[in-house]
Amino acid sequence: MNLIKMIDDFNKSSKGKIFKSFFALFVSIVMLVTVCLAYSWFVKNRNIASSGMVITSKNDEVHADFSSYYIEDVDTKTVLKGQQYNNANGMPTLDMNMLPYDVTFTSVNQYAAVVLRVLIYDIPEEFIPAQNQTKYVNLVISRNTSLSPASNNELDAYFSTIGQIGCYANSTLSLNDSNQDIYDAVITQYRADQNIMKFTTSNNSTYTKVSHLNRSIPYTTANFKTDSNNKSCLVLYMCFDYNATLAQEYASQEIDSLASVNSLEQKYDMVSDISGINVDFN
């Protein structure tokens, strides 16, 4: 019996049909894994790397405490809380940790946003509103300009390139509210915001990036809360998230640049280049 006849008989047999079914399933799995690896962003620790942010104020008396609220596991969707710490120079610092942006399963990106709660203490009397009075505070968010050019025809792997930021006051939240309640309330404001800030703008395939963002936030006596040490503080909130359009464009550029089977090991380490937040009263 020649070899061709043997192969043909095997293909027609029950064992041959089962083998072909398993082989087809194996090929399908390999193709699925390839697509997921090529179109999703992964990082080594599941979170975006961060250089940390330094918090400062032009008003020497003023100091701020920051807390971050974020989702680390999209399966449980549990909101965790991170605290600020002092860096080697004694400056208050807060790491920005965000889930990787997923180009394939885009529905999970709704859980990537990070909420920051800002507690501002020792505000000079002249900046404390009287009853029914509204005053304003400026939040200036800066990026590390040494990491990314101000203008380029391609996007790069920094938060200021593909991210966006919202800033808010919220009088309904208390300091003792749960992580989930704080996160949900601020995310609701963020989703309804029509004036979200971003560092990077696109114009005729040229991307231009500013060095800092400035947002003036109105506040009243209702935005002051008393902490567990019986100290009064002004409470503000920020939301850090991906800009879907810029994130998709960056992913497309990276995918188009692939020229070998190394795409199976493709990873994008998106780095937070937010260098500081300045709190300034006027």
Side-chain angles (χ1 to χ4, degrees):
M1 184 179 295
N2 59 43
L3 180 60
I4 296 177
K5 182 67 167 55
M6 291 176 62
I7 294 174
D8 184 60
D9 289 344
F10 177 77
N11 287 336
K12 292 178 180 179
S13 67
S14 299
K15 290 184 179 180
K17 292 178 181 179
I18 292 174
F19 174 81
K20 286 193 293 183
S21 297
F22 276 108
F23 181 76
L25 176 61
F26 173 76
V27 172
S28 298
I29 292 173
V30 170
M31 292 178 65
L32 176 61
V33 171
T34 300
V35 169
C36 290
L37 287 172
Y39 287 87
S40 298
W41 294 358
F42 297 91
V43 288
K44 295 176 182 177
N45 62 352
R46 298 189 60 204
N47 289 322
I48 291 179
S50 172
S51 57
M53 296 183 296
V54 176
I55 303 123
T56 59
S57 174
K58 292 181 180 178
N59 307 97
D60 293 337
E61 307 93 334
V62 172
H63 74 276
D65 290 339
F66 281 59
S67 301
S68 59
Y69 299 84
Y70 57 95
I71 294 174
E72 189 175 68
D73 189 335
V74 296
D75 292 325
T76 65
K77 302 178 182 59
T78 301
V79 178
L80 304 178
K81 181 181 180 180
Q83 300 286 359
Q84 74 178 37
Y85 61 93
N86 291 337
N87 64 16
N89 297 320
M91 296 295 292
T93 301
L94 180 71
D95 278 340
M96 279 289 297
N97 294 319
M98 293 180 65
L99 289 171
Y101 189 89
D102 196 317
V103 181
T104 306
F105 305 104
T106 55
S107 62
V108 304
N109 296 324
Q110 63 182 301
Y111 307 112
V114 175
V115 170
L116 264 63
R117 184 176 70 180
V118 188
L119 307 184
I120 307 176
Y121 290 90
D122 299 325
I123 300 173
E125 189 70 28
E126 61 192 285
F127 301 122
I128 297 178
Q131 194 69 29
N132 299 323
Q133 186 181 22
T134 298
K135 289 187 175 290
Y136 295 85
V137 59
N138 290 327
L139 292 182
V140 181
I141 304 104
S142 303
R143 70 179 182 90
N144 188 338
T145 56
S146 66
L147 298 177
S148 178
S151 181
N152 204 344
N153 58 1
E154 290 186 350
L155 298 171
D156 53 37
Y158 292 103
F159 175 83
S160 64
T161 300
I162 48 84
Q164 58 187 30
I165 304 172
C167 300
Y168 313 101
N170 187 311
S171 60
T172 63
L173 288 170
S174 74
L175 298 183
N176 295 324
D177 282 336
S178 68
N179 297 347
Q180 189 71 55
D181 288 342
I182 292 172
Y183 187 86
D184 289 346
V186 179
I187 290 297
T188 297
Q189 288 182 272
Y190 168 70
R191 301 297 182 204
D193 191 355
Q194 300 298 313
N195 194 25
I196 296 174
M197 303 180 294
K198 61 182 187 294
F199 287 92
T200 300
T201 56
S202 176
N203 183 22
N204 296 325
S205 300
T206 298
Y207 301 99
T208 303
K209 187 183 294 188
V210 297
S211 60
H212 62 271
L213 302 173
N214 191 324
R215 176 56 48 87
S216 182
I217 305 174
Y219 63 94
T220 67
T221 55
N223 299 117
F224 284 80
K225 306 296 178 180
T226 301
D227 68 12
S228 58
N229 296 318
N230 205 33
K231 293 194 64 176
S232 177
C233 57
L234 173 63
V235 186
L236 302 175
Y237 298 91
M238 305 173 68
C239 185
F240 289 74
D241 195 12
Y242 294 101
N243 179 278
T245 300
L246 292 171
Q248 292 280 355
E249 289 183 18
Y250 173 77
S252 296
Q253 290 178 6
E254 290 298 296
I255 292 168
D256 290 344
S257 69
L258 294 174
S260 72
V261 294
N262 288 335
S263 61
L264 288 176
E265 298 180 0
Q266 183 177 342
K267 294 182 180 181
Y268 302 100
D269 292 322
M270 308 303 294
V271 179
S272 173
D273 58 337
I274 305 301
S275 58
I277 299 175
N278 184 271
V279 180
D280 182 29
F281 291 90
N282 53 26

